[in-house]
Amino acid sequence: MRPLNTTRLIGTPAVATDVADLRRLHSDPRVMATLSADGAPFTEDQSRAFLDRAAGHWQLYGFGLWIFRDRASNDFVGYGGIKHAEVEGRDEIELAYAITSDHWRKGLATEISLAALKHAFDVLRLDRIVAFTLPHNRASRAVMEHCGFAYTRDIVHANLPHVLYTLDTSIFS
């Protein structure tokens, strides 16, 4: 499990001890309006389960989500990376990211996403990655588009309407 650093951020693989930082993200109603199926903040148990799954993903596959901190202040910024996800009954590799609301509109989600994608294509040699979000989440859709993803179709995920975007290696060739 290797770190993933960007110009402004230091990323370390997500582990159970990151729970206090993740709670900042998961208890923020503005963030969770875009992350949880019902728009509600996660409980501490849900945050712990999220981290357990993230750590398990790293152990099983050798890649996953990183926890990102600001290089200068060491302040928790959010998470991002790639992981397996079921999309309409098919196993896909998903780009996932979430940023604390006090770090929104600084380009950090795009910075995290581009670093994770570079790792996915250059190191892991993946050839396709998907990303999805709620249709009204313009900020997330903008991140996907800045990273080169193309809108593919509308889908249902977690019993909610989502938009699916795809990206293949041609963007990084």
Side-chain angles (χ1 to χ4, degrees), residues 57 60-61 63-64 82-86 91-94 126:
H57 194 281
L60 190 58
Y61 299 107
F63 64 89
I82 50 173
K83 64 185 187 73
H84 284 267
E86 185 176 314
D91 185 40
E92 297 276 7
I93 303 295
E94 169 201 9
L126 299 177

Side-chain angles (χ1 to χ4, degrees), residues 7-29:
T7 304
R8 298 180 285 175
L9 305 171
I10 297 171
T12 56
V15 294
T17 55
D18 293 317
V19 70
D21 288 326
L22 192 63
R23 290 297 306 139
R24 280 189 47 215
L25 190 75
H26 283 169
S27 63
D28 184 335

Side-chain angles (χ1 to χ4, degrees), residues 10-173:
I10 297 171
T12 56
V15 294
T17 55
D18 293 317
V19 70
D21 288 326
L22 192 63
R23 290 297 306 139
R24 280 189 47 215
L25 190 75
H26 283 169
S27 63
D28 184 335
R30 291 175 46 190
V31 172
M32 294 312 290
T34 65
L35 289 183
S36 70
D38 61 2
F42 282 179
T43 64
E44 184 169 338
D45 287 343
Q46 288 172 304
S47 294
R48 288 184 188 283
F50 178 95
L51 284 171
D52 287 345
R53 285 189 306 275
H57 194 281
W58 273 104
Q59 289 182 347
L60 190 58
Y61 299 107
F63 64 89
L65 300 177
W66 288 269
I67 298 294
F68 285 91
R69 299 180 187 290
D70 181 272
R71 279 183 182 271
S73 67
N74 203 39
D75 190 28
F76 171 72
V77 170
Y79 68 80
I82 50 173
K83 64 185 187 73
H84 284 267
E86 185 176 314
V87 178
E88 296 184 317
R90 182 177 165 179
D91 185 40
E92 297 276 7
I93 303 295
E94 169 201 9
L95 172 69
Y97 50 85
I99 306 295
T100 60
S101 60
D102 54 330
H103 288 96
W104 284 358
R105 295 175 191 82
K106 297 178 182 177
L108 294 170
T110 300
E111 188 172 320
I112 287 169
S113 297
L114 287 171
L117 291 170
K118 183 166 179 39
H119 179 80
F121 292 134
D122 292 353
V123 176
L124 301 175
R125 298 290 188 215
L126 299 177
D127 59 2
R128 171 186 151 92
I129 297 181
V130 302
F132 47 87
T133 190
L134 299 168
H136 66 273
N137 188 343
R138 290 297 316 148
S140 190
R141 292 178 81 162
V143 169
M144 292 175 207
E145 290 163 6
H146 283 128
C147 291
F149 282 85
Y151 169 80
T152 305
R153 68 182 180 279
D154 292 346
I155 63 168
V156 174
H157 181 74
N159 295 318
L160 293 172
H162 279 71
V163 289
L164 176 70
Y165 284 70
T166 57
L167 178 67
D168 63 35
T169 55
S170 64
I171 192 77
F172 285 90
S173 302

